[in-house]
Amino acid sequence: MGRYGARWEGVLGSFLEVQLLAPPWRKGMAFRSVVAEIGRLEGLFSRYRESELTRLVRQGGGRPSPELREVLAWALRLQEATGGAFHPAPRHGGEALRFHGEEVEVLAPLDLDGLAKGYMADRAAEAALRAGARAALVNLGGDLARKGPGWAAVGVEAPRGPDNAPPALILKLGEGGVATSGVRHRGAHLLDPRTGKPAPGLQATVQAPSALLADGLAKALFVLGREAGAVLKGFGAQGYLFGPQGPVPCPEGGKDA
């Protein structure tokens, strides 16, 4: 059993980094399985090329695949739980989709980037285990998913400062996910879907039972601030808000940093 790592640039416009605990004769298959799963799921969720999601939006609805349906259902659940701070169409607000049995009606241009990337990281880590890895950590553009026994130390960058600065926060991640939303790489780009205006703040980090949940809840925490504590607790997540003095655990949903 050995520890192995690999990194690919230009995946989903960002990067893919994978760390494995695996027998040496299984590592190659595990790495290939991760890359193949990310590519397959991009064909479902991408907004930037032809995908199942773009076809569903263009047609105004249809019968989604089980995977797309799962993410859409989570999007509605998080929208309701956060009072609209997370939204499947954040630039439009209001009602974005409706389920009618096996069919879905699309009412606004869907943007699942704030959820699908975490889902893809979760599924890629599961693919590594199916291919023979004992444990896998997948970092898809900053959304992390970990599966398997043991744990990993995850360093979180500060919202401002040099790239070589030490982590502002270190989390112990067993099985689950970590995601961060903030201004470090893209500036003040996160909208409050309830107002259509940029949400104030520097950075929010969430550790949750899955990368999908961490991804969606990090956006909600950034928008809601300290009011998100009860929401995080309801999903079994821990949150940290970053201010000028560093990370502060979110009340009810966090723990001491």
Side-chain angles (χ1 to χ4, degrees):
M1 196 71 64
R3 297 184 181 276
Y4 308 97
R7 182 181 172 105
W8 295 263
E9 299 292 341
V11 178
L12 300 181
S14 186
F15 67 89
L16 169 64
E17 188 173 58
V18 182
Q19 297 179 25
L20 299 176
L21 177 65
W25 58 89
R26 293 287 188 183
K27 66 174 182 178
M29 178 60 73
F31 281 131
R32 289 192 293 272
S33 296
V34 168
V35 173
E37 184 71 349
I38 294 294
R40 184 183 73 84
L41 293 172
E42 186 180 9
L44 301 184
F45 296 109
S46 178
R47 288 193 304 123
Y48 304 103
R49 65 177 180 85
E50 184 73 6
S51 68
E52 184 183 358
L53 177 63
T54 61
R55 290 191 293 273
L56 194 73
V57 172
R58 185 170 62 243
Q59 296 164 6
R63 179 171 293 191
S65 66
E67 290 148 312
L68 181 55
R69 182 183 181 86
E70 181 180 2
V71 174
L72 291 172
W74 270 111
L76 284 182
R77 184 177 175 186
L78 287 172
Q79 180 184 1
E80 181 179 2
T82 63
F86 175 90
H87 200 284
R91 295 187 179 277
H92 294 266
E95 190 177 12
L97 66 146
R98 295 175 188 163
F99 281 106
H100 304 284
E102 295 297 316
E103 301 280 329
V104 63
E105 180 183 5
V106 177
L107 305 171
L110 300 178
D111 177 355
L112 299 179
D113 292 357
L115 204 60
K117 197 157 60 122
Y119 179 81
M120 293 168 71
D122 285 327
R123 295 298 298 268
E126 292 167 2
L129 267 58
R130 290 195 301 271
R134 184 158 185 249
L137 177 69
V138 174
N139 182 350
L140 183 57
D143 289 353
L144 278 75
R146 190 185 180 282
K147 304 289 183 180
W151 60 276
V154 175
V156 180
E157 294 178 310
R160 295 191 175 121
D163 290 341
N164 61 353
L169 176 65
I170 297 179
L171 300 175
K172 184 176 180 179
L173 179 63
E175 285 203 314
V178 172
T180 295
S181 292
V183 302
R184 181 176 180 91
H185 297 289
R186 295 176 59 190
H189 69 287
L190 287 167
L191 294 180
D192 182 340
R194 302 167 302 176
T195 65
K197 298 178 181 178
L202 291 178
Q203 184 166 295
T205 294
V206 169
Q207 182 175 353
S210 68
L212 174 143
L213 271 174
D215 199 5
L217 291 173
K219 274 74 176 177
L221 177 58
F222 189 94
V223 172
L224 292 173
R226 297 171 68 85
E227 298 177 12
V231 176
L232 297 179
K233 185 178 181 181
F235 285 101
Q238 301 162 350
Y240 302 85
L241 284 167
F242 286 69
Q245 280 71 48
V248 177
C250 186
E252 298 184 53
K255 62 182 181 181
D256 292 338

